[in-house]
Amino acid sequence: MTCISADAPTVRASTDNMKNFLSFVYMNEPLLKQYGAIKIAVPTEFQSAKKKNRIKLMTPSMTQQVMRLNQNDFIYSVDSVPCFNEKEQHQPSHLDEAGFWSSLSHFNYPQKISSVSKIPGASFFLKRVRRTDLDIHQLPRRSLLRLCDKNILRQFVPSLIRTHGPGAISPLASGRQRLLSFNYHHEGGVRYWYIVPANERNALERLFHHQKTSACLEHGCILMDPLMFDKYKIRYHRLIQQPNEIIIIGAGALSQSFTDDASWSETIDFALPSWLDDGHAQAQITCDCQLDKTSKSEIIDTKLFSRGIIQRYISSNLNYLTEETSSSYTDKPNLAMSDTALFSNISSGSFDLSSNQVADSCMWNSALEIEDIDDDRHLKLLKTA
């Protein structure tokens, strides 16, 4: 297998970066836009924020059934069916990256592979941490999603993902309403990621339309061999995630992955300015496939995100700039530093606010002075402005 696209960059976070995590990710948004994702190597102290006693699995696992869509291309449909007999699964004792794609290429009929269990609302991270530490549970409400209605905000909770063996797949998909995604690898086998930046999405949609396939990018049911990205000149980037590493998927980007062994991981969505500035929040979701649409989450109303409120949020929450917050890049340092510096200059520029935007800014500043402000009061303050 050949990968003509460059690997996505890795950035190393300090303890101070983890305490100001959203600010750290915000500084790296130019990389997220360019590559679609970054990997964050965290300090060893980050382990202390996790539970010592792990929960027992309390949800039935689902077997992943994979089928090649046509004979000419290595594009597969991935369906999840209840797991009644794990012996029916195709689970090799050892699986590397080349072996995974090679084994799939021989599937000319539906083949059951490794099972996966998802536990929404469950987490291995402690729910009570110091106010200055990274709190995974509070990540959405400390991001721009804090402007959402309380009923919508409470839907954003961590989800544990347990893969029961080699070859467990996370199909090609983007976050809910194309939000950013936080993905932490707790333990187990290596996870191989393939990231398609947001500006390549149209090329993928044209490919599916040209092939007249019923599959779409909105339901997370497609897996593509990297050779197909090369064949159709779709830019993608690769990442290898080890335990105790974070993968951040950028706004609007698509990602797919698989594990080379059983593993535990955790994910949650959140929002930063790029989600709005680049039009991902308002993107129209078009879907012609026949899959069930009843499970779609409620659409986030973006009318609450005025320019004045966003700028006040950036100034109060994201512009935490010290020498220590500068990331340590292990890949492409010159490019990353120049992009970050450019983006920081843009973000700190002056804005000519209208009278309504000034009111938004004053209201937002008052709200930020109250620690742990009640969500209902918060929403009322927004509507008043």
Side-chain angles (χ1 to χ4, degrees):
M1 182 185 69
T2 59
C3 291
I4 63 172
S5 289
D7 289 356
T10 298
V11 297
R12 188 168 300 279
S14 67
T15 302
D16 191 53
N17 295 148
M18 299 306 293
K19 292 178 181 179
N20 303 278
F21 186 75
L22 287 176
S23 176
F24 181 67
V25 175
Y26 173 69
M27 289 175 61
N28 288 289
E29 277 201 305
L31 290 176
L32 287 173
K33 293 180 182 182
Q34 181 177 354
Y35 294 96
I38 57 173
K39 180 169 72 173
I40 300 178
V42 304
T44 55
E45 294 85 354
F46 188 62
Q47 294 274 12
S48 62
K50 294 189 290 185
K51 299 176 181 177
K52 305 301 181 183
N53 299 320
R54 300 298 174 83
I55 65 172
K56 293 182 178 180
L57 199 63
M58 295 179 293
T59 184
S61 60
M62 303 293 287
T63 298
Q64 293 183 312
Q65 186 170 276
V66 178
M67 184 176 66
R68 193 166 164 179
L69 290 179
N70 60 60
Q71 297 299 314
N72 298 322
D73 290 326
F74 299 118
I75 303 176
Y76 309 89
S77 67
V78 181
D79 295 320
S80 295
V81 296
C83 180
F84 299 111
N85 183 5
E86 292 192 2
K87 294 182 179 180
E88 295 180 1
Q89 298 167 187
H90 175 72
Q91 288 189 348
S93 57
H94 175 73
L95 183 68
D96 58 16
E97 188 175 10
F100 171 78
W101 295 112
S102 176
S103 64
L104 287 187
S105 66
H106 296 95
F107 292 173
N108 294 320
Y109 55 92
Q111 185 74 254
K112 293 181 179 179
I113 59 174
S114 181
S115 58
V116 177
S117 300
K118 295 184 179 181
I119 316 173
S123 173
F124 283 163
F125 287 102
L126 296 174
K127 210 164 187 180
R128 293 181 180 272
V129 299
R130 291 178 299 180
R131 187 178 297 274
T132 57
D133 290 345
L134 170 62
D135 187 347
I136 303 303
H137 305 271
Q138 295 295 319
L139 195 61
R141 68 176 62 245
R142 290 180 180 175
S143 74
L144 277 174
L145 293 178
R146 67 190 300 167
L147 300 177
C148 295
D149 181 88
K150 184 177 181 179
N151 293 328
I152 293 180
L153 190 58
R154 65 161 55 104
Q155 297 177 26
F156 290 93
V157 294
S159 292
L160 276 176
I161 302 173
R162 168 65 169 168
T163 64
H164 296 264
I169 297 168
S170 177
L172 190 65
S174 58
R176 168 185 171 180
Q177 205 169 334
R178 305 185 184 180
L179 288 161
L180 292 88
S181 178
F182 171 101
N183 301 272
Y184 184 80
H185 188 350
H186 284 284
E187 61 184 42
V190 172
R191 190 172 182 183
Y192 294 90
W193 290 82
Y194 304 88
I195 315 296
V196 179
N199 56 12
E200 294 289 321
R201 176 186 286 267
N202 289 338
L204 270 178
E205 292 176 344
R206 287 194 299 269
L207 169 60
F208 290 151
H209 180 75
H210 176 73
Q211 292 191 340
K212 298 181 179 179
T213 176
S214 59
C216 72
L217 296 174
E218 304 298 342
H219 288 90
C221 59
I222 290 294
L223 182 72
M224 291 185 65
D225 191 305
L227 292 174
M228 295 299 98
F229 295 132
D230 295 338
K231 177 180 178 180
Y232 292 104
K233 296 179 174 56
I234 297 171
R235 182 167 61 90
Y236 71 100
H237 302 282
R238 177 174 167 270
L239 280 171
I240 300 177
Q241 186 183 23
Q242 304 280 353
N244 203 35
E245 291 181 338
I246 297 170
I247 299 290
I248 300 293
I249 308 296
L254 293 153
S255 68
Q256 63 179 29
S257 63
F258 75 91
T259 57
D260 70 353
D261 206 343
S263 68
W264 281 101
S265 60
E266 188 167 339
T267 183
I268 192 169
D269 293 335
F270 64 101
L272 284 179
S274 61
W275 177 61
L276 289 154
D277 294 343
D278 298 336
H280 303 301
Q282 296 84 13
Q284 296 294 321
I285 298 177
T286 57
C287 175
D288 296 326
C289 68
Q290 301 302 314
L291 294 180
D292 181 23
K293 302 178 181 59
T294 58
S295 60
K296 281 189 176 180
S297 302
E298 186 175 350
I299 299 298
I300 301 171
D301 183 9
T302 58
K303 294 179 181 178
L304 291 172
F305 301 93
S306 72
R307 181 67 258 178
I309 287 182
I310 294 172
Q311 185 58 29
R312 177 56 62 182
Y313 171 79
I314 292 173
S315 301
S316 302
N317 294 268
L318 301 181
N319 284 342
Y320 184 85
L321 302 177
T322 67
E323 291 183 2
E324 280 193 286
T325 25
S326 298
S327 54
S328 174
Y329 293 88
T330 58
D331 293 320
K332 308 169 186 66
N334 294 331
L335 175 63
M337 289 175 65
S338 61
D339 283 348
T340 303
L342 174 63
F343 191 68
S344 298
N345 291 335
I346 295 173
S347 300
S348 60
S350 60
F351 286 82
D352 183 16
L353 302 179
S354 66
S355 57
N356 288 337
Q357 290 172 321
V358 170
D360 288 339
S361 299
C362 295
M363 176 279 303
W364 179 259
N365 202 25
S366 300
L368 288 173
E369 294 174 357
I370 305 173
E371 294 290 346
D372 296 328
I373 188 169
D374 179 78
D375 289 319
D376 288 332
R377 285 188 61 204
H378 184 200
L379 188 59
K380 289 176 182 178
L381 282 170
L382 293 175
K383 291 180 178 178
T384 301

